Structure formats: structure tokens, C-alpha cells
């Protein structure tokens, strides 16, 4: 059977942006930027985007396209010995998918809760632990599941399966909505945030540069880590998406478009997040520095706390809660299903199984695996897996990928693949990024990571 293809270049770009732009932009970036020097963080971030993000993104797209195969298959066609690197990415993708889908489930619960917005009457932290996670005795209660999380998880997996059930044909039809809608919703939230009293205070927190942070290696590590997570690279996703391009498609411009669109949305999300936190600081008297700005707490506790106090009475609260959680849902769904699509592509390319059946079965297995994060101790597991998968593991994959491809196979030859069918050719800078900059940075980060964690 002929391999499926994206219906058009725009569809492919939308799907790749859809995968890249996810919760990582809305919740991970603003908090990380704030912790790592505010406005000054934009410097390591853009350096990471240009020296590792875009070069690796273009590389992954081009090998997927050239070999018309998911990550393990494409790497095996470069050199049989590289196949395992692809599987490593696939396994990582599976771990991420297992917890990402649980976060998606929480988002679904919050969309439902938005209609009555309980954060109007009680503390948002109690809504999260009490109404959603249904934790009775502290966060790490191991006892069983929260029924509403399990129901939302099944709904979430059903939505993911539905979007990818016919492979890229169905993905192509969905991504128009899941890319444009969250951007519109984000626009509404930004306008609302920056017109709230106190918002400028929040924004100056977000953007005031702390230049001294640029000397801190952890800040650079955070920038590179954020770029990889946010661009969905190193997880085999972009190789899979590239493999559905026609062999005569170009990738160099597309990688730039995807990379810059993702960075722009991350940067803009900070305005919505910190503008709102500034408002919350003003009305609650809690200093912004004492609030939680990162990860799950920002999205599910701090932000709803602010939502509960939006001007405009209960209608205003309900409206903005819906806008916020629908934005998170539409942001997350196309990232979540892109992970599954990459895993399915790898498996189907390897074993030649029927794609639609494999999709169904792998979604069922994924759903069962994600149940571990849907237990009441899920938050605890999620934290461990998130740190392990995103910190050391990702950097290690990146390092091995650069060594295998840039050194053993040869960056120059790969650049030849990359520059096929385009007038926008990457120069020697690309070889330098893949052969020297990326591996050195990966190594440096791994060593510091090991040293700090072994102490
Ligand atoms: N890029 C997505 C985001 O920013 C997350 C993601 C990571 C998606 C890994 C797929 C794989 O949220």
C-alpha cells in the first residue's frame, strides 16, 4: 500500500506546529523564563533555538522525508547500527504520552468544572486536590483512582484515537482547528490579562532581565531542555511527521517557520500568564515571587485562583475559565496525538501491521499505561517521570543522535539531504551546530546534571 501523505504543505506545517505548540508553551515556558532570568532568558532561549532547535528539527524532518519511514526505520536506513536510537526516542515518547494524556484529562475535567467555576467560592488548590484528584490524605495518597480523572482520561484517549484513526489523513483535517483556535483564545486571554489592574507589575516580573543569570549553566540547560520539549524533537515525532511528506518537499524553510511560530507562542503566553499573576498579586496581597509559576500548579491552581476573581461577576469568571481551559485543551490535544502517531508510525513501519488496527490497540495500551498517573499518587509519579524523561534522558538522546548522525554518518552528507528541493539552503553553520555546538552543550549539561544529582 502506498504511504500516506499530507494533503498539502500548509497542512503539514499546521500539524507540526500543532505538535510543537502545546502545554509546554502555555505553562512551561513562562515559569521557566521567570525562574531563569526573566527577559534575559530570551537570549539563551534564542541561542538554543538557532543552534540546536531548528538544526535538529530540520534534520529530523529531512531524514523522515528522505527515507519515508518513522524514527527507527529512517535511522536504520542511514546505518543499521542506528536503529536503536530511534527506538529509544519511541520509548521516551511513550513515557511522555502516558503522563501527557493524564494532564490532558485534568484539562478536560477543568473544562467541565468551568461551567460552575468552583474556584469562585473556594481555594483553587482545594478544587484541584479535592474535586479533581480527590486526594483525602495529602498529595501522595496511593489509594486508588479519582473517578472523574479516569473518565476524563478515557475521553481524552478517545479524542486522540479519533484524530489519528486514519493516520495523517484524519490528522490533517483536525489540525486547522487545533492550531488556529488556541491562538485566538490566547489572544483573548492576553488582551484580558494586560488590561487587568496590576498586570504591568506581573509583566515586569516576567521580562525584567537578570543578566547575572546568563553566567549560570543551569539557565542554559533549562533553555535547551525547553527548546527540545517544546519543538517535540528527539522523541521521534518530527521524523514520523517528515516521513509523510512527499520526497520532493522542502524542509529548510518549514523548520524555520515551525521553530519561530513555536517560540512566538511561548513568548506571548507569558503575557497572559504574568499579566494575570500581576492582577492576582494586587487583589490578594500575595507577592508574585511567592506564587507558583511553573508547571502544573500554574495551570491548575494559581491561574484558576486568578480566574475566580475576574471582574465581571460569575459570568465573567465562567467565560474566562472556559476560554483558558479550552485553550489548554486545543493546545494539548494535537501534541498528545502527535506522540501517539510517532509511536504508531515506528511500529507499523517496522512490523508492517495494519495501521488502523495498530492505532486502536496502541491507544488502548497507552490508555492503560497512563492509568498509573491517574492514581491519587499520580502527581508524584508524574514529577519523577517528567524530570527523568526531560532532563537527562532527552539530552542523552540528543548527544547520541548528534554523534551518530553528525560524526559517524557525516553532517555534510546530511546537509545534502536537507538542502534537497529548496532554494533556501543551510550553510556550513548547520554542520557546526550538529557536530560541535549541540554535542558539546549536551555533554556539558549531562556532566553538570550528574554532578549536581550525585552530590
Ligand atoms: N511540544 C509539546 C509541548 O510543548 C509537548 C510534546 C513533547 C509533545 C513531546 C510531544 C512530544 O507541549
Amino acid at each position: 500500500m502506498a504511504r500516506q501523505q499530507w494533503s498539502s504543505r500548509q497542512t503539514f506545517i499546521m500539524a507540526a506546529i500543532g505538535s510543537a505548540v502545546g502545554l509546554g508553551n502555555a505553562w512551561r515556558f513562562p515559569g521557566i523564563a521567570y525562574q531563569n532570568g526573566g527577559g534575559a532568558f530570551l537570549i539563551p532561549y534564542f541561542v538554543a533555538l538557532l543552534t540546536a532547535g531548528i538544526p535538529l528539527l530540520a534534520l529530523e524532518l529531512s531524514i523522515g522525508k528522505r527515507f519515508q519511514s518513522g524514527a527507527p526505520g529512517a535511522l536504520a536506513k542511514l546505518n543499521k547500527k542506528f536503529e536503536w536510537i530511534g527506538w529509544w526516542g519511541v520509548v521516551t515518547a511513550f513515557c511522555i504520552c502516558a503522563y501527557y494524556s493524564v494532564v490532558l484529562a485534568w484539562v478536560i475535567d477543568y473544562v467541565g468544572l468551568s461551567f460552575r467555576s468552583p474556584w469562585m467560592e473556594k481555594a483553587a488548590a482545594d478544587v484541584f486536590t479535592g474535586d479533581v484528584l480527590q486526594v483525602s490524605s495529602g498529595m501522595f495518597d496511593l489509594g486508588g483512582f479519582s473517578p472523574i480523572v479516569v473518565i476524563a482520561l478515557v475521553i481524552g484517549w478517545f479524542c486522540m484515537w479519533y484524530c489519528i484513526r486514519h493516520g495523517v489523513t484524519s490528522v490533517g483535517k483536525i489540525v486547522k482547528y487545533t492550531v488556529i483556535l488556541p491562538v485566538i483564545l490566547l489572544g483573548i486571554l492576553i488582551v484580558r490579562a494586560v488590561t487587568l489592574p496590576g498586570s504591568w507589575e506581573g509583566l515586569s516580573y516576567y521580562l525584567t532581565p537578570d543578566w547575572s543569570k546568563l553566567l549560570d549553566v543551569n539557565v542554559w540547560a533549562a533553555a535547551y531542555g525547553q527548546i527540545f520539549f517544546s519543538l517535540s524533537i528527539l522523541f521521534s515525532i518530527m521524523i514520523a511527521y517528515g516521513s509523510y511528506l512527499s520526497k520532493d518537499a522542502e524542509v529548510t524553510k518549514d523548520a524555520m517557520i515551525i521553530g519561530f511560530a513555536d517560540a512566538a507562542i511561548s513568548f506571548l503566553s507569558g503575557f497572559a500568564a504574568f499579566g494575570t499573576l500581576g492582577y492576582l498579586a494586587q487583589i490578594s496581597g500575595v507577592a508574585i515571587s511567592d506564587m507558583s509559576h511553573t508547571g502544573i500548579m500554574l495551570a491548575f491552581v494559581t491561574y484558576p485562583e486568578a480566574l475566580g476573581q475576574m471582574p465581571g461577576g460569575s459570568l465573567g469568571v465562567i467565560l474566562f475559565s472556559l476560554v483558558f481551559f479550552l485553550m489548554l485543551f486545543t493546545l494539548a490535544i494535537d501534541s498528545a496525538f502527535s506522540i501517539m502517531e510517532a509511536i504508531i508510525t515506528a511500529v507499523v513501519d517496522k512490523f508492517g501491521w495494519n495501521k488502523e488496527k495498530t492505532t486502536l490497540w496502541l491507544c488502548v495500551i497507552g490508555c492503560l499505561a497512563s492509568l498509573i498517573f491517574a492514581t491519587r499518587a499520580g502527581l508524584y509519579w508524574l514529577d519523577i517521570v517528567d524530570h527523568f524523561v526531560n532532563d537527562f534522558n532527552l539530552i542523552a538522546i540528543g548527544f547520541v543522535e548528534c554523534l551518530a548522525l553528525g560524526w559517524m554518518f557525516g553532517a555534510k552528507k546530511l546537509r545534502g539531504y536537507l538542502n534537497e528541493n529548496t532554494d533556501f539552503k543551510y550553510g556550513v553553520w548547520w554542520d557546526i551546530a550538529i557536530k560541535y555546538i549541540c554535542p558539546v552543550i549536551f555533554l556539558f549539561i549531562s556532566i553538570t546534571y550528574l554532578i549536581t544529582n550525585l552530590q
Side-chain angles (χ1 to χ4, degrees):
M1 217 171 63
R3 194 176 186 79
Q4 285 186 319
Q5 266 181 16
W6 297 107
S7 56
S8 66
R9 179 176 173 208
Q10 283 92 317
T11 311
F12 158 70
I13 294 180
M14 286 261 201
I17 292 180
S19 168
V21 177
L23 299 173
N25 304 60
W27 91 30
R28 224 163 170 262
F29 179 85
I32 287 189
Y34 163 76
Q35 280 174 339
N36 293 290
F41 181 72
L42 294 177
I43 294 177
Y45 187 76
F46 277 103
V47 171
L49 178 67
L50 295 173
T51 58
I54 290 176
L56 282 169
L57 175 61
L59 171 65
E60 296 203 346
L61 293 177
S62 79
I63 58 174
K65 181 198 76 166
R66 185 176 173 104
F67 298 109
Q68 300 281 299
S69 182
L75 288 166
K77 284 183 192 156
L78 282 171
N79 181 336
K80 195 76 198 95
K81 285 193 220 117
F82 297 164
E83 185 176 341
W84 65 275
I85 307 174
W87 287 111
W88 184 3
V90 171
V91 172
T92 302
F94 190 78
C95 296
I96 295 194
C97 196
Y99 75 77
Y100 207 84
S101 56
V102 175
V103 182
L104 181 71
W106 295 340
V107 172
I108 294 173
D109 283 335
Y110 270 82
V111 172
L113 285 175
S114 295
F115 288 98
R116 63 181 170 92
S117 295
W119 35 88
M120 269 186 285
E121 294 109 40
K122 57 178 172 184
D126 295 339
V127 175
F128 187 44
T129 51
D131 296 24
V132 179
L133 301 180
Q134 305 191 353
V135 177
S136 43
S137 52
M139 281 285 193
F140 305 137
D141 174 4
L142 273 166
F145 296 96
S146 153
I148 79 160
V149 174
V150 175
I151 293 170
L153 191 65
V154 175
I155 297 176
W157 276 96
F158 177 80
C159 295
M160 283 160 63
W161 166 78
Y162 185 81
C163 297
I164 55 174
R165 72 198 187 289
H166 300 312
V168 292
T169 318
S170 44
V171 167
K173 294 198 181 118
I174 288 286
V175 287
K176 285 194 256 336
Y177 307 103
T178 54
V179 172
I180 294 172
L181 190 61
V183 174
I184 296 174
L185 298 176
L186 176 63
I188 297 176
L189 290 172
I190 293 174
V191 173
R192 174 68 283 191
V194 300
T195 50
L196 287 167
S199 62
W200 292 106
E201 186 105 5
L203 293 184
S204 77
Y205 244 89
Y206 173 43
L207 295 171
T208 306
D210 174 359
W211 301 110
S212 67
K213 291 271 193 186
L214 293 184
L215 297 174
D216 181 351
V217 54
N218 292 318
V219 170
W220 288 84
Y224 279 85
Q226 174 62 18
I227 283 287
F228 298 136
F229 184 79
S230 192
L231 285 182
S232 311
I233 43 184
L234 308 177
F235 307 97
S236 71
I237 295 174
M238 290 301 175
I239 301 187
Y241 270 19
S243 76
Y244 297 111
L245 283 166
S246 113
K247 271 197 155 179
D248 50 23
E250 81 90 56
V251 297
T252 52
K253 279 184 221 155
D254 292 0
M256 294 257 175
I257 296 173
I258 299 161
F260 284 113
D262 181 67
I265 295 180
S266 288
F267 180 61
L268 290 175
S269 299
F271 286 79
F274 278 89
T276 312
L277 292 182
Y279 168 67
L280 186 61
Q282 193 176 76
I283 49 175
S284 66
V286 177
I288 303 184
S289 52
D290 292 336
M291 292 177 188
S292 179
H293 313 96
T294 44
I296 289 156
M297 291 303 162
L298 173 66
F300 296 113
V301 176
T302 320
Y303 205 87
E305 192 76 54
L307 283 171
Q309 306 186 49
M310 282 287 156
S314 49
L315 201 64
V317 174
I318 292 174
L319 196 72
F320 282 102
S321 301
L322 275 173
V323 170
F324 178 68
F325 289 109
L326 275 178
M327 175 189 79
L328 288 190
F329 177 73
T330 47
L331 278 179
I333 184 85
D334 42 11
S335 301
F337 70 61
S338 73
I339 318 183
M340 272 326 277
E341 180 59 38
I343 300 169
I344 294 158
T345 301
V347 171
V348 168
D349 285 345
K350 173 80 186 174
F351 302 104
W353 295 339
N354 173 298
K355 187 158 178 193
E356 297 195 353
K357 279 193 196 140
T358 313
T359 303
L360 181 64
W361 280 110
L362 283 179
C363 285
V364 171
I365 296 173
C367 183
L368 293 175
S370 57
L371 278 174
I372 172 166
F373 300 104
T375 57
R376 298 203 168 102
L379 205 55
Y380 173 73
W381 290 117
L382 196 145
D383 225 33
I384 297 179
V385 177
D386 183 44
H387 275 119
F388 174 73
V389 167
N390 285 318
D391 293 344
F392 190 62
N393 178 55
L394 258 199
I395 303 286
I397 298 185
F399 181 69
V400 174
E401 205 169 289
C402 287
L403 281 195
L405 300 184
W407 286 91
M408 288 170 66
F409 185 80
K412 199 155 169 238
K413 233 186 321 173
L414 285 171
R415 183 153 53 92
Y417 295 171
L418 196 76
N419 285 336
E420 278 168 359
N421 316 317
T422 182
D423 49 4
F424 184 72
K425 302 203 188 292
Y426 288 2
V428 205
W429 66 269
W430 185 84
D431 304 19
I432 299 174
I434 296 292
K435 281 182 80 170
Y436 302 99
I437 303 179
C438 292
V440 167
I441 287 168
F442 290 140
L443 200 61
F444 192 59
I445 295 175
S446 319
I447 294 172
T448 2
Y449 179 87
L450 283 180
I451 293 174
T452 33
N453 281 280
L454 290 178
Q455 264 167 6

